mmCIF file of all heavy atoms in Angstrom:
data_model
loop_
_atom_site.group_PDB
_atom_site.id
_atom_site.type_symbol
_atom_site.label_atom_id
_atom_site.label_comp_id
_atom_site.label_asym_id
_atom_site.label_seq_id
_atom_site.Cartn_x
_atom_site.Cartn_y
_atom_site.Cartn_z
ATOM 1 N N ARG A 13 25.674 -68.099 68.636
ATOM 2 C CA ARG A 13 26.305 -66.981 67.969
ATOM 3 C C ARG A 13 25.741 -66.855 66.563
ATOM 4 O O ARG A 13 25.627 -65.832 65.937
ATOM 5 C CB ARG A 13 27.832 -67.180 67.964
ATOM 6 C CG ARG A 13 28.447 -66.583 69.170
ATOM 7 C CD ARG A 13 29.938 -66.612 69.152
ATOM 8 N NE ARG A 13 30.439 -67.863 69.671
ATOM 9 C CZ ARG A 13 31.394 -68.479 69.355
ATOM 10 N NH1 ARG A 13 32.237 -68.025 68.409
ATOM 11 N NH2 ARG A 13 31.798 -69.592 69.930
ATOM 12 N N LEU A 14 25.560 -67.973 65.857
ATOM 13 C CA LEU A 14 25.000 -67.993 64.505
ATOM 14 C C LEU A 14 23.653 -67.303 64.416
ATOM 15 O O LEU A 14 23.386 -66.490 63.577
ATOM 16 C CB LEU A 14 24.880 -69.383 63.851
ATOM 17 C CG LEU A 14 26.257 -70.029 63.519
ATOM 18 C CD1 LEU A 14 26.033 -71.594 63.106
ATOM 19 C CD2 LEU A 14 27.006 -69.268 62.372
ATOM 20 N N HIS A 15 22.780 -67.674 65.425
ATOM 21 C CA HIS A 15 21.516 -67.018 65.459
ATOM 22 C C HIS A 15 21.570 -65.523 65.768
ATOM 23 O O HIS A 15 20.756 -64.775 65.280
ATOM 24 C CB HIS A 15 20.565 -67.759 66.555
ATOM 25 C CG HIS A 15 20.240 -69.099 66.157
ATOM 26 N ND1 HIS A 15 19.480 -69.509 65.093
ATOM 27 C CD2 HIS A 15 20.474 -70.292 66.760
ATOM 28 C CE1 HIS A 15 19.304 -70.649 64.913
ATOM 29 N NE2 HIS A 15 19.880 -71.360 66.030
ATOM 30 N N LEU A 16 22.569 -65.128 66.573
ATOM 31 C CA LEU A 16 22.721 -63.830 66.958
ATOM 32 C C LEU A 16 23.091 -63.028 65.566
ATOM 33 O O LEU A 16 22.580 -61.771 65.472
ATOM 34 C CB LEU A 16 23.867 -63.562 67.908
ATOM 35 C CG LEU A 16 24.219 -62.181 68.328
ATOM 36 C CD1 LEU A 16 23.081 -61.725 69.161
ATOM 37 C CD2 LEU A 16 25.495 -62.291 69.180
ATOM 38 N N PHE A 17 23.821 -63.550 64.727
ATOM 39 C CA PHE A 17 24.127 -62.875 63.498
ATOM 40 C C PHE A 17 23.133 -63.174 62.237
ATOM 41 O O PHE A 17 23.480 -62.800 61.189
ATOM 42 C CB PHE A 17 25.547 -63.143 63.065
ATOM 43 C CG PHE A 17 26.666 -62.610 64.140
ATOM 44 C CD1 PHE A 17 27.265 -63.483 64.982
ATOM 45 C CD2 PHE A 17 26.800 -61.280 64.159
ATOM 46 C CE1 PHE A 17 28.152 -62.902 65.874
ATOM 47 C CE2 PHE A 17 27.725 -60.737 65.135
ATOM 48 C CZ PHE A 17 28.321 -61.658 66.007
ATOM 49 N N GLY A 18 22.094 -63.699 62.654
ATOM 50 C CA GLY A 18 21.026 -63.943 61.600
ATOM 51 C C GLY A 18 21.100 -65.148 60.787
ATOM 52 O O GLY A 18 20.463 -65.289 59.722
ATOM 53 N N PHE A 19 21.829 -66.114 61.214
ATOM 54 C CA PHE A 19 21.883 -67.324 60.447
ATOM 55 C C PHE A 19 21.047 -68.560 61.322
ATOM 56 O O PHE A 19 20.795 -68.347 62.513
ATOM 57 C CB PHE A 19 23.320 -67.900 60.371
ATOM 58 C CG PHE A 19 24.267 -66.993 59.693
ATOM 59 C CD1 PHE A 19 25.106 -66.148 60.293
ATOM 60 C CD2 PHE A 19 24.209 -66.946 58.233
ATOM 61 C CE1 PHE A 19 25.877 -65.292 59.655
ATOM 62 C CE2 PHE A 19 24.947 -66.090 57.521
ATOM 63 C CZ PHE A 19 25.876 -65.195 58.256
ATOM 64 N N GLY A 20 20.731 -69.539 60.643
ATOM 65 C CA GLY A 20 20.036 -70.567 61.325
ATOM 66 C C GLY A 20 18.493 -70.466 61.064
ATOM 67 O O GLY A 20 18.026 -69.496 60.675
ATOM 68 N N LYS A 21 17.858 -71.576 61.297
ATOM 69 C CA LYS A 21 16.343 -71.558 60.963
ATOM 70 C C LYS A 21 15.519 -70.588 61.750
ATOM 71 O O LYS A 21 14.475 -70.218 61.290
ATOM 72 C CB LYS A 21 15.802 -72.981 60.958
ATOM 73 C CG LYS A 21 15.910 -73.746 62.229
ATOM 74 C CD LYS A 21 15.451 -75.147 62.057
ATOM 75 C CE LYS A 21 16.016 -76.028 63.156
ATOM 76 N NZ LYS A 21 15.527 -77.439 63.100
ATOM 77 N N GLU A 22 16.014 -70.325 62.928
ATOM 78 C CA GLU A 22 15.106 -69.348 63.714
ATOM 79 C C GLU A 22 15.349 -67.883 63.195
ATOM 80 O O GLU A 22 14.621 -67.022 63.628
ATOM 81 C CB GLU A 22 15.364 -69.359 65.249
ATOM 82 C CG GLU A 22 14.718 -70.515 65.935
ATOM 83 C CD GLU A 22 15.575 -71.692 66.222
ATOM 84 O OE1 GLU A 22 16.600 -71.520 66.781
ATOM 85 O OE2 GLU A 22 15.284 -72.840 65.644
ATOM 86 N N ALA A 23 16.090 -67.712 62.295
ATOM 87 C CA ALA A 23 16.400 -66.385 61.815
ATOM 88 C C ALA A 23 15.536 -65.863 60.680
ATOM 89 O O ALA A 23 15.602 -64.737 60.183
ATOM 90 C CB ALA A 23 17.882 -66.240 61.216
ATOM 91 N N ILE A 24 14.461 -66.594 60.402
ATOM 92 C CA ILE A 24 13.461 -66.263 59.381
ATOM 93 C C ILE A 24 12.643 -65.031 59.918
ATOM 94 O O ILE A 24 12.122 -65.101 61.011
ATOM 95 C CB ILE A 24 12.535 -67.337 58.978
ATOM 96 C CG1 ILE A 24 13.347 -68.518 58.350
ATOM 97 C CG2 ILE A 24 11.336 -66.899 58.023
ATOM 98 C CD1 ILE A 24 12.425 -69.738 58.119
ATOM 99 N N ALA A 25 12.622 -64.006 59.152
ATOM 100 C CA ALA A 25 11.938 -62.686 59.605
ATOM 101 C C ALA A 25 10.379 -63.017 59.629
ATOM 102 O O ALA A 25 9.972 -63.801 58.805
ATOM 103 C CB ALA A 25 12.273 -61.553 58.706
#
Side-chain angles (χ1 to χ4, degrees):
R13 276 188 268 147
L14 287 174
H15 291 300
L16 179 67
F17 293 107
F19 299 100
K21 57 184 166 186
E22 278 102 57
I24 297 172

